[in-house]
Amino acid sequence: MARDAGRARLASGRAYEDHSRMRFLITGAAGFIGSHLCRGLVAEGHDVVGVDDLSEGSLENLAASPEVRFERVDICDASSLGEVARGCQTILHHAARKSVQRSIEDPSAFDRVNVRGTLTVLEIAREVGASVVFASSSSIFGDQDRYPLTEDMEPRPRSPYAATKLAGEAYCRSWWESLGVPTISLRYFNVYGPGQDPSSPYAAVIPRFVMACLGGDRPVIYGDGLQARDFTYVDDIVEANLLASAMPDRARGRVLNAGAGRVPTTVADLLSTIASLTETSPDPVHRPAREGDIRRSEADISLARDLIGYAPKVAIEEGLRRTIAWFRERSAS
Ligand SMILES: NC(=O)c1ccc[n+]([C@@H]2O[C@H](COP(=O)([O-])OP(=O)(O)OC[C@H]3O[C@@H](n4cnc5c(N)ncnc54)[C@H](O)[C@@H]3O)[C@@H](O)[C@H]2O)c1
C-alpha cells in the first residue's frame, strides 16, 4: 500500500501530483463506481469519507474498505452533507439516480437528486473550500451525425436522465467561472466491472449478460443488437478521477470524455465475447428497443489525454475476463 509513500502515485505507477495525502468526500460511495473509488483512494494512501443514502447502493460494496468513514446521508440534505464534508479537499460527486428508463417515468425524482443534489454538493464545496469532480454521462450526446464524439458537439439529450447530467455539467462549469470552485466534469461511457448490480430490469448490459450466461438463462437483447457502446473498465475510471482531482489549471471548469476510446462494441458482439469467455452458447431473447436509448457511443478521449493525462489501459476482453471471474467467485460463495 502506498499510504506512507512520499509522493502519491496512480495504480499504474505514474505520479499525478505532489499532494501525498488528501481527504476525499465520495458521494454515492456505496454504489458501483463509488465503491471502486473508495478502494482506489485508500490504496493510494488518502483519507476517504463516503456518503450514500443506500437507495441503490449497498454497504456490502464497501466491506473491503474498512478504512472508509461511511455516513448515510442524502446529498440533498445540505446541513448533514456540510458536516461530513468539513476538512475535505476534493469531492468526487457520484451520487445520482441513473436509469434512463426510470427517468422517463419519474423525471422529478431525477431532477431532485441529479440537479438539486449537484447544486447542493457545489454549495458545500464552496463552503468548505473543496474542488469537485462530477460524474457526467455520454448520454448527453444523444444521437449524433459524426463519430467519435468530441466534447464540443451540441448536446442532444434524449432522456430526462441525460438532461439532468447536462444541467450538472453546466452548474459545475459556472461554479468555476463565477465562484472560483475548481470543477471537472467527466463524461463516462458505459462503465463496467466487478460489483456492478445485475439484478434490476434496469441493470447495465454487461452484468445482465454475464449473469445470464453463467446461470444458463436467456439474455435479453433490446433492439437489433447493433447498437454500439464504448465500454470502459472501472479501473480506468478510478484513474481518471485521480488525475482529475489534481485539478490542472487548464482543465478547470471543463467537460472531458472518459471512455475507453477504442472501436465501440455492438451489443451482439458483446454477447458473443461473453459467451466465448464463459464457454456457453446462449440463445438470446429479442425485445423492442428501449425508449431513450442511443444508437452509438464512441469517445474521442484526446482532450482528457491532453488536459489530465488520461490513458485508459484495460481492453474489453481483459475487462470482461476480470468481471466474469468476479461474478463466478461471487456465485460460488
Ligand atoms: N455506470 C455507468 O456506466 C455510468 C455511465 C455514465 C455516468 N455514470 C454516473 O456515475 C455515477 C455512479 O454510477 P454507478 O454506476 O456507480 O451507479 P450506482 O447506482 O451504483 O451508484 C449511485 C449511488 O448513488 C446513491 N444515491 C442515489 N441517490 C442518492 C442521494 N439522494 N443521496 C446519496 N446517495 C444517493 C445510490 O444509493 C448509489 O449507491 C452516477 O452519477 C452515474 O450517473 C455512470
Side-chain angles (χ1 to χ4, degrees):
M1 217 185 261
R3 181 168 285 279
D4 296 319
R7 183 171 163 80
R9 284 191 176 271
L10 302 183
S12 59
R14 241 191 2 260
Y16 62 98
E17 208 175 70
D18 196 9
H19 40 228
S20 39
R21 184 167 177 165
M22 290 171 48
R23 180 182 287 259
F24 284 82
L25 173 66
I26 301 179
T27 72
F32 162 52
I33 298 173
S35 57
H36 279 272
L37 286 169
C38 285
R39 268 194 296 285
L41 288 168
V42 165
E44 295 291 338
H46 298 298
D47 292 326
V48 181
V49 182
V51 299
D52 201 295
D53 69 352
L54 301 180
S55 53
E56 297 283 337
S58 150
L59 284 181
E60 237 178 83
N61 290 334
L62 290 175
S65 311
E67 301 88 344
V68 172
R69 175 181 143 212
F70 177 79
E71 302 284 345
R72 186 170 184 168
V73 167
D74 179 339
I75 54 160
C76 300
D77 171 356
S79 82
S80 304
L81 192 66
E83 231 162 84
V84 296
R86 240 183 279 132
C88 292
Q89 287 97 36
T90 305
I91 303 177
L92 305 181
H93 175 36
H94 286 68
R97 305 205 51 174
K98 66 160 209 291
S99 154
V100 165
Q101 285 74 39
R102 277 189 190 149
S103 79
I104 294 166
E105 291 154 20
D106 188 2
S108 300
F110 278 66
D111 180 77
R112 186 188 88 84
V113 177
N114 297 8
V115 182
R116 190 79 209 167
T118 297
L119 181 73
T120 308
V121 168
L122 287 164
E123 277 298 72
I124 298 296
R126 178 154 73 122
E127 223 173 271
V128 304
S131 54
V132 177
V133 180
F134 172 59
S136 187
S137 163
S138 61
S139 62
I140 69 107
F141 284 109
D143 287 319
Q144 300 280 343
D145 311 318
R146 277 188 300 119
Y147 293 89
L149 300 164
T150 51
E151 292 84 347
D152 56 0
M153 288 172 167
E154 181 201 355
R156 294 177 180 166
R158 285 177 50 104
S159 66
Y161 165 73
T164 64
K165 287 290 171 181
L166 187 56
E169 287 182 358
Y171 269 142
C172 286
R173 180 170 197 119
S174 67
W175 249 247
W176 166 241
E177 298 288 351
S178 61
L179 298 165
V181 175
T183 64
I184 294 178
S185 297
L186 296 174
R187 275 185 193 160
Y188 298 162
F189 284 68
N190 292 78
V191 187
Y192 72 100
Q196 197 166 21
D197 182 11
S199 56
S200 95
Y202 303 103
V205 62
I206 289 182
R208 280 196 295 109
F209 280 0
V210 171
M211 285 308 281
C213 287
L214 293 178
D217 299 325
R218 297 182 68 189
V220 177
I221 292 182
Y222 295 98
D224 60 9
L226 298 180
Q227 63 274 39
R229 297 285 181 271
D230 194 341
F231 293 105
T232 313
Y233 192 64
V234 67
D235 285 2
D236 287 325
I237 291 301
V238 171
E239 185 136 329
N241 275 268
L242 280 162
L243 290 161
S245 64
M247 288 286 153
D249 286 348
R250 288 187 319 147
R252 292 178 181 207
R254 305 292 291 262
V255 173
L256 305 176
N257 285 346
R262 295 186 172 87
V263 178
T265 309
T266 67
V267 165
D269 284 347
L270 176 73
L271 182 58
S272 316
T273 309
I274 293 174
S276 129
L277 292 169
T278 53
E279 298 175 338
T280 55
S281 312
D283 173 21
V285 180
H286 288 271
R287 299 240 171 95
R290 295 185 297 187
E291 236 179 296
D293 269 357
I294 55 174
R295 189 74 185 147
R296 183 179 175 90
S297 81
E298 180 184 355
D300 181 324
I301 55 170
S302 44
L303 191 62
R305 187 191 55 222
D306 294 348
L307 297 189
I308 63 170
Y310 174 60
K313 279 171 214 64
V314 184
I316 183 84
E317 276 225 7
E318 175 54 23
L320 287 174
R321 209 170 271 125
R322 295 186 202 173
T323 306
I324 291 165
W326 184 86
F327 276 105
R328 268 197 215 281
E329 205 172 294
R330 195 184 74 145
S331 339
S333 61

